[in-house]
Amino acid sequence: MRYSGLRIIKEALTGHKGWTPAWRDVAPQNQYDFIIVGGGGHGLATAHYLAKVYGKARIAVLEKGWIGGGNVGRNTTIIRSNYLLPGNEPFYEFSMKLWEGLEQDLNYNAMVSQRGIMNLFHTDGQRDAYRRRGNAMILHGSDAELLDQEQLRKEAPFLNFDNARFPIKGALVHRRGGTVRHDAVAWGYARSADRHGVDIIQNCEVTGFKIENGKILGVETSRGFIGAGKVGVAVAGSSSKVMSYADMRLPIESHVLQAFVSEGLKPVLPGVITFGAGHFYVSQSDKGGLVFGGDIDGYNTYAQRGNLPVVEDVCEGGMALMPMIGRARLLRMWGGLMDMSMDGSPFIDKTHIDGLYFNGGWCYGGFKATPASGYAFAHLLATDTPHDTATAYRLDRFISGHMIDEKGVGAQPNLH
Amino acid sequence: MLIPHPLLGLRDAQEFVYKGDARLMARPDPQADDALQAFHDYTYLRDNPAGQHRELWFHEQGDRSWLIVTRDTRTHEILKAELARPRGKGERT
């Protein structure tokens, strides 16, 4: 069923009796050409592009719980293409372009809102670094604008400009950045993939791989064995666990990132704002809640919840940035599991096993990458060659010396 | 989280800095023939288990000792905390 304004009017006049489920509930078949492990944003996007762009048939997405129940439903919904390094920025700019056409592509309202991102700076040195970053972004076809304090005051008068320790001197603004309704991304990709014939199989946990003579034959699941020509794994948060079934150790640790939302307020924030002196980022959802977050907790964990010291740290960041946030009450907080990689950048690559492919290591930047990650992973699965924008995301980049370390902190996953 | 320090009793985890998998104490032999691969694996690859994890916590805001803490990464329950010590010859960490 195609969604349109006309359809809404028609359904309104006929008692909304004509709506059908957005995707089928199917039992797994015995054999597929492609199996995508993980029904999150990246897995569903992979299935969508694999079917639609690369014209592949007999595709299944296997999800251990329900689709969109993991990190695609737990993030702070920010999209941006404001990276510095050559291995990253073309990929994220590709992702931004896909976001811009996403709703037409999926025939689904994902509430893509390019309301802009302001990265604040507080010192001369930081301003110079942001100017350099802005230039790198422009060189890669993205957009960037440097605002001084006076210009910024006009756009965000509520910021604590005269903070004695971290005065706000200006901002690097990325106008095409913004937010997207995260659940709708999962649902939109799932619906579109389903319409292109992909089987979305929920409550089907992968418990092992069947590998013979270095080639994958299929996956063992909680609903029995399913044969496959190629298997793509996109299970960020649980990557080490799933890839251990193929006896792989990954350059990844699992950490928890907490996110927070306040009670609903009248519109107060123009877009996404990030604090440059601490780690704090905030936007306002269309329901009115302030959505914000900060650092990861910093220790290995598979519990989807964090601890109170980080809550305190995040709230301190918020108070330093915009004291008015202290008047809002915190409504909810939650945690999601991050694949923290050794250089802070992701992987989209083949493995040493023929027919087994890996997508992961997204740290806490996976949501914005969803369309490009799915596209590039589908390209890799379909053609056995990396997509032009994802050639740097190799698993062997540490031994070859081609790390993509935006922060320059080295092999310390909890600092990326 | 509270960490049961073997000398100081229960201490807030905030006093510590997390330093990762305790296997990092076992540095490979730099003179070995496969030293490049061994150091790559040592530096970049992790077991990252869901379950019991032996890990290093440095008591930076305390007595500056290094602890090996055994913790369940699924529940944050701390099962054991002991002083980290350098390995003797032929001894496993």
Side-chain angles (χ1 to χ4, degrees):
Chain A
M1 176 195 290
R2 200 177 156 74
Y3 294 160
S4 66
L6 203 62
R7 166 74 64 178
I8 291 175
I9 295 168
K10 190 181 163 209
E11 291 299 330
L13 295 174
T14 54
H16 290 290
K17 288 182 184 135
W19 298 114
T20 53
W23 55 85
R24 298 162 296 140
D25 184 20
V26 290
Q29 297 174 23
N30 295 330
Q31 176 80 26
Y32 288 94
D33 296 326
F34 296 89
I35 284 180
I36 313 297
V37 183
H42 292 223
L44 293 166
T46 304
H48 162 80
Y49 293 114
L50 200 53
K52 183 168 181 180
V53 179
Y54 296 95
K56 299 296 181 186
R58 294 214 307 162
I59 304 163
V61 177
L62 308 184
E63 164 57 43
K64 72 175 173 184
W66 62 94
I67 61 164
N71 290 333
V72 72
R74 290 168 182 267
N75 55 75
T76 45
T77 78
I78 298 166
I79 60 167
R80 57 188 171 89
S81 109
N82 59 354
Y83 284 70
L84 175 68
L85 298 178
N88 272 334
E89 182 54 18
F91 175 82
Y92 288 102
E93 179 54 26
F94 177 52
S95 202
M96 182 58 78
K97 292 201 167 71
L98 290 172
W99 283 120
E100 287 170 335
L102 184 80
E103 292 163 317
Q104 287 69 35
D105 184 26
L106 299 183
N107 177 232
Y108 201 87
N109 179 11
M111 295 163 69
V112 176
S113 167
Q114 293 180 294
R115 54 185 75 183
I117 290 188
M118 296 175 175
N119 299 124
L120 307 185
F121 55 81
H122 308 265
T123 64
D124 290 352
Q126 204 171 19
R127 183 195 57 219
D128 294 349
Y130 277 2
R131 184 185 292 277
R132 177 176 174 229
R133 176 181 292 260
N135 287 338
M137 289 158 63
I138 291 167
L139 283 171
H140 284 114
S142 184
D143 70 289
E145 203 179 315
L146 203 69
L147 300 188
D148 63 19
Q149 196 191 62
E150 201 181 323
Q151 292 168 304
L152 182 60
R153 270 185 199 275
K154 287 192 188 121
E155 296 200 25
F158 49 83
L159 296 174
N160 189 7
F161 288 92
D162 304 318
N163 182 314
R165 178 68 182 83
F166 301 113
I168 296 166
K169 303 277 196 181
L172 180 69
V173 182
H174 173 43
R175 301 276 179 206
R176 287 159 66 240
T179 59
V180 180
R181 168 91 165 93
H182 53 188
D183 298 317
V185 174
W187 300 332
Y189 272 122
R191 174 171 165 272
S192 181
D194 180 83
R195 291 174 82 203
H196 288 93
V198 173
D199 284 356
I200 295 166
I201 301 158
Q202 305 185 74
N203 300 308
C204 181
E205 181 173 2
V206 169
T207 54
F209 297 122
K210 188 170 180 192
I211 298 163
E212 270 177 25
N213 301 322
K215 180 168 178 14
I216 195 135
L217 300 178
V219 295
E220 303 288 349
T221 77
S222 54
R223 295 171 72 168
F225 174 77
I226 307 174
K230 290 181 176 180
V231 175
V233 177
V235 296
S238 302
S239 293
S240 296
K241 187 179 164 195
V242 173
M243 297 314 280
S244 74
Y245 303 147
D247 293 325
M248 286 177 71
R249 292 176 77 216
L250 299 177
I252 285 172
E253 288 180 1
S254 296
H255 287 255
V256 64
L257 178 69
Q258 302 189 66
F260 309 82
V261 64
S262 78
E263 59 192 325
L265 305 168
K266 295 275 186 185
V268 288
L269 296 185
V272 184
I273 300 175
T274 74
F275 187 34
H279 199 171
F280 180 83
Y281 39 90
V282 61
S283 63
Q284 189 169 18
S285 77
D286 290 314
K287 278 195 289 185
L290 301 178
V291 183
F292 55 96
D295 271 322
I296 54 174
D297 271 40
Y299 43 80
N300 287 48
T301 176
Y302 282 85
Q304 283 176 316
R305 59 184 165 77
N307 275 297
L308 290 170
V310 169
V311 179
E312 185 180 26
D313 183 64
V314 169
C315 292
E316 283 170 355
M319 288 299 290
L321 174 75
M322 36 184 270
M324 72 175 181
I325 204 172
R327 301 293 297 275
R329 280 170 295 192
L330 193 62
L331 194 65
R332 292 186 289 128
M333 56 198 236
W334 62 94
L337 299 186
M338 309 291 119
D339 266 11
M340 296 304 296
S341 70
M342 291 291 155
D343 59 357
S345 294
F347 308 96
I348 301 176
D349 202 1
K350 302 177 190 180
T351 68
H352 67 286
I353 290 157
D354 195 15
L356 180 62
Y357 302 79
F358 176 66
N359 174 326
W362 292 98
C363 299
Y364 42 88
F367 179 68
K368 74 178 87 69
T370 305
S373 166
Y375 204 112
F377 201 35
H379 184 94
L380 179 69
L381 283 159
T383 66
D384 269 314
T385 53
H387 189 265
D388 283 346
T389 61
T391 52
Y393 296 152
R394 297 173 60 121
L395 277 164
D396 67 357
R397 66 176 179 257
F398 298 102
I399 200 146
S400 67
H402 294 88
M403 282 75 100
I404 318 164
D405 192 342
E406 289 270 346
K407 268 181 141 181
V409 295
Q412 296 221 36
N414 61 350
L415 298 184
H416 283 293
Chain B
M1 286 189 290
L2 294 172
I3 295 177
H5 193 295
L7 304 176
L8 304 173
L10 281 181
R11 309 299 305 186
D12 193 321
Q14 280 302 96
E15 297 174 8
F16 294 79
V17 180
Y18 181 74
K19 291 290 186 181
D21 194 327
R23 283 177 66 158
L24 291 169
M25 289 183 67
R27 286 171 70 86
D29 174 7
Q31 302 298 329
D33 291 339
D34 65 345
L36 177 66
Q37 187 66 43
F39 268 93
H40 165 266
D41 295 357
Y42 165 82
T43 311
Y44 296 110
L45 304 186
R46 300 285 186 274
D47 287 341
N48 192 23
Q52 286 196 22
H53 189 228
R54 295 179 78 240
E55 55 201 21
L56 293 164
W57 290 77
F58 171 47
H59 200 192
E60 191 178 42
Q61 309 290 328
D63 70 346
R64 304 186 72 77
S65 58
W66 288 68
L67 303 187
I68 295 179
V69 174
T70 307
R71 189 174 56 93
D72 191 321
T73 57
R74 294 165 304 185
T75 61
H76 298 165
E77 184 191 1
I78 292 175
L79 306 162
K80 195 160 87 172
E82 56 201 313
L83 290 173
R85 14 177 130 254
R87 255 185 337 160
K89 265 214 162 128
E91 200 183 340
R92 295 185 60 201
T93 48

